[in-house]
Amino acid sequence: MPNIFAYLMIFAWPVLAFVAFRRMPLAMGVSAAMIGAQLLLPSQAAVDLPMIPTYDKVQSGTLAALLVMLAASGNRQAAVGTDAALLPGWLPRSRLMLLCFFGAFATSIVTVLQNAEALHYGPLILPGLRTYDIFSSILSQIMVVLPFLIARRTLATPEAQKMFLIVLTVAGLLYVLPTLYEVRMSPQLNRQIYGFFPASFIQHVRFGGFRPVVFFSHGLKLSLFLAIAFLAALACIRLVKPQLRTRFTLTAAVLFGTLILSKSVGAFLIAFILAPVMIFSPVRIKLLVAAGITAITLTYPVLRGNNLVPVDQMVDLAHNIDSDRAGSLQFRFSQEDVLLEKASQKPFFGWGGWGRSRAYSQYGADISVTDGTWVILFGTGGWTKYVTTFGLLCLPVLLMTWRQKTLKPDASAAAVALLLAGNMIDLIPNSGLLPMTWMMAGALTGRLEWQAAGVSDAEKPAETTKRDGTSLYDPGLREHPVDRPAGTMGPSHVVTSGMSVPTSPKRPKTGNTPYTPKLSKPGSRGV
């Protein structure tokens, strides 16, 4: 059971993050607030209040990021550079994205209305869903997609996405020491600091050693984070200035070694397969690989239901690595079959929550294990829940790949797309749907809108500076100038909180004070 310090931390984090990150560049502050909550706060400390979603580390990090964003949008001097640009409005502009967005809320309502009956399994009785659950489901859905909406507004520009990749890399590097401590001493930090262990300890004894957990809910999620941080470090090697590339190369090597020691075969394979693509491939190939992966994950239930997934071959391949891992994979596939059989009874809107989508014996015993995010969504909300949720995650990658000839995304957007694709792979066997997953999808959604507005990726209205006045990024990495349609605003304007900000082609070359363009009058025309 979590101790008092665990509950104190989940309530104190929004204030601590606001104080610590509000004077950072906006993209860096929002990313640090959200990712920091996942890395530092306890996973099972939660407060369940009536009518509102459970308050835990996810909500704490989301609230912290929201406060940082609102502080920056209210005070433009709190942020530096183009990363301060906020997309206007809260909702995505794409019709497909809006369809998925509102479809997810409509699905929650219909699912509750179609599951009013109680379920009887011997002595076990699962109550039906009530009208009360509609409000709870809607509020929960809002909290789920809020990281997506925040990232869409704050991580849309090239500089903002570079900052996001750097924050991921630095966060992964800072997590190396506690991870290595648990590799050597066994997963103990969560128990020593917060008073409990979040998962089954036997699941974290692997390959003659220990699988670290630190403050995640399971060691598999920690390994996934290390894999994504490693790939982000590889992306930064090509994005930062030449004098910083050695540091990021060493960071990537350290993260990869730590990932190996975390003893998760799935996360290792994701990193191992995508690393060459991240390092050597041009933007177009990165996007094509990312689109191929997301297309497969989006259609996985169809492939699985029609026996198009090579289950036996995958188990045989796992046998060549380790017999225990093969047994684990075979168990996952068998549980998917059990849960799919139950889900097929209500294929469109699912069974709803409260364990109704799980399989039970005639004596009321729970005989199912839900590992993959896809099968959880498919069971609780049916096809509509799965398509709308995975649509919000996959469509940004697919649309960016489809429109790359006109939008011409740069290396940072392609890197985020490839990271998201790697995360999507993990959603099939595991429940690796994290706030940073939604942040990557939101960042790509915002990038589509930002580039469609006629702002060139090659144009950098103001460079983010360090304290010594030098730029962190390499100005020579400006790729693919956008062909701006006639009638759209030229490169001399940037969208900033709905106002038009003229920029000057001449920038001060010396000094530690960042260049601040003059804002036009509130009534002037914006994008």
Side-chain angles (χ1 to χ4, degrees):
M1 180 177 180
N3 55 27
I4 295 179
F5 181 67
Y7 289 99
L8 177 64
M9 281 299 297
I10 64 171
F11 282 104
W13 177 255
V15 178
L16 296 175
F18 176 77
V19 173
F21 305 138
R22 66 188 177 92
R23 295 194 179 277
M24 287 183 177
L26 177 58
M28 184 177 293
V30 168
S31 301
M34 191 82 72
I35 296 173
Q38 302 310 303
L39 301 185
L40 300 177
L41 300 186
S43 58
Q44 290 186 359
V47 178
D48 192 3
L49 299 176
M51 290 295 295
I52 63 175
T54 301
Y55 184 83
D56 56 11
K57 66 187 297 181
V58 175
Q59 278 67 43
S60 181
T62 303
L63 179 59
L66 183 62
L67 291 176
V68 172
M69 185 194 72
L70 294 177
S73 62
N75 178 15
R76 305 311 307 168
Q77 300 300 324
V80 180
T82 61
D83 64 283
L86 287 170
L87 288 186
W90 279 95
L91 298 179
R93 301 293 180 87
S94 168
R95 294 180 180 178
L96 284 175
M97 298 297 292
L98 284 174
L99 180 63
C100 292
F101 183 83
F102 288 110
F105 288 92
T107 296
S108 300
I109 297 174
V110 177
T111 297
V112 172
L113 296 177
Q114 290 196 347
N115 285 277
E117 77 284 359
L119 301 179
H120 300 265
Y121 300 97
L124 178 66
I125 301 176
L126 299 178
L129 303 182
R130 303 165 296 170
T131 305
Y132 166 88
D133 295 304
I134 294 179
F135 300 101
S136 178
S137 298
I138 292 175
L139 291 175
S140 297
Q141 186 66 30
I142 292 174
M143 295 306 299
V144 166
V145 300
L146 196 53
F148 171 91
L149 299 176
I150 293 174
R152 173 198 160 271
R153 296 199 69 193
T154 60
L155 302 180
T157 66
E159 296 295 329
Q161 293 181 359
K162 292 174 186 176
M163 280 192 173
F164 174 71
L165 294 170
I166 290 175
V167 169
L168 272 177
T169 303
V170 174
L173 184 61
L174 294 176
Y175 228 54
V176 166
L177 284 180
T179 300
L180 294 180
Y181 172 83
E182 291 200 344
V183 169
R184 178 65 180 87
M185 305 301 295
S186 79
Q188 296 294 333
L189 288 175
N190 203 96
R191 183 188 59 81
Q192 292 171 350
I193 296 177
Y194 292 124
F196 70 99
F197 188 72
S200 171
F201 189 85
I202 193 62
Q203 293 181 359
H204 295 84
V205 179
R206 288 290 185 270
F207 299 108
F210 299 104
R211 174 188 285 166
V213 179
V214 193
F215 303 125
F216 281 85
S217 60
H218 198 281
L220 293 174
K221 293 185 178 180
L222 170 59
S223 298
L224 174 64
F225 168 74
L226 291 174
I228 292 178
F230 163 68
L231 294 173
L234 295 181
C236 289
I237 295 174
R238 300 183 62 177
L239 295 174
V240 298
K241 299 182 70 173
Q243 56 265 38
L244 296 176
R245 290 174 183 171
T246 301
R247 300 181 185 179
F248 280 91
T249 301
L250 294 175
T251 299
V254 171
L255 287 171
F256 188 67
T258 308
L259 173 62
I260 294 174
L261 294 175
S262 70
K263 302 177 180 66
S264 174
V265 177
F268 170 79
L269 290 177
I270 291 172
F272 184 78
I273 294 172
L274 295 183
V277 181
M278 185 68 79
I279 297 174
F280 303 111
S281 299
V283 169
R284 184 177 67 88
I285 299 301
K286 286 188 179 74
L287 289 176
L288 288 176
V289 172
I293 293 173
T294 52
I296 291 174
T297 57
L298 186 59
T299 59
Y300 183 81
V302 177
L303 301 176
R304 187 74 171 86
N306 290 277
N307 296 319
L308 297 177
V309 178
V311 173
D312 295 333
Q313 291 84 346
M314 294 172 67
V315 173
D316 292 338
L317 181 62
H319 266 294
N320 297 329
I321 300 175
D322 182 73
S323 58
D324 290 338
R325 304 285 64 75
S328 175
L329 185 61
Q330 181 64 57
F331 178 77
R332 292 171 189 265
F333 285 137
S334 63
Q335 288 299 304
E336 284 183 1
D337 292 333
V338 172
L339 293 167
L340 283 175
E341 183 180 356
K342 176 70 177 289
S344 64
Q345 300 175 28
K346 290 191 175 183
F348 295 108
F349 296 100
W351 291 90
W354 305 105
R356 293 169 57 91
S357 63
R358 303 176 69 87
Y360 299 89
S361 69
Q362 58 180 338
Y363 305 105
D366 188 351
I367 58 173
S368 58
V369 176
T370 52
D371 284 322
T373 298
W374 79 273
V375 77
I376 295 173
L377 292 173
F378 200 75
T380 56
W383 270 110
T384 53
K385 185 72 169 181
Y386 178 84
V387 170
T388 54
T389 302
F390 270 60
L392 285 174
L393 296 171
C394 296
L395 277 178
V397 178
L398 298 175
L399 291 175
M400 182 164 289
T401 305
W402 180 260
R403 301 174 183 173
Q404 61 176 307
K405 289 186 178 180
T406 55
L407 297 180
K408 297 180 173 61
D410 70 346
S412 61
V416 175
L418 197 60
L419 291 182
L420 179 57
N423 197 159
M424 296 302 295
I425 296 174
D426 191 72
L427 298 187
I428 301 302
N430 301 312
S431 55
L433 185 55
L434 304 173
M436 67 178 181
T437 315
W438 287 107
M439 291 183 72
M440 291 185 284
L444 293 176
T445 302
R447 185 62 171 272
L448 286 168
E449 298 178 20
W450 185 81
Q451 292 187 214
V455 182
S456 173
D457 278 357
E459 179 66 22
K460 298 175 68 176
E463 286 204 353
T464 304
T465 58
K466 298 189 292 186
R467 292 183 182 275
D468 60 359
T470 61
S471 173
L472 183 64
Y473 308 116
D474 187 355
L477 291 172
R478 302 170 182 174
E479 300 186 15
H480 305 306
V482 172
D483 297 327
R484 186 174 295 102
T488 59
M489 187 166 291
S492 61
H493 288 75
V494 182
V495 179
T496 307
S497 294
M499 294 182 290
S500 175
V501 182
T503 62
S504 170
K506 297 181 180 179
R507 304 291 161 79
K509 297 182 179 179
T510 59
N512 295 332
T513 303
Y515 172 73
T516 305
K518 295 181 180 180
L519 296 177
S520 59
K521 294 181 180 181
S524 62
R525 179 179 178 270
V527 177

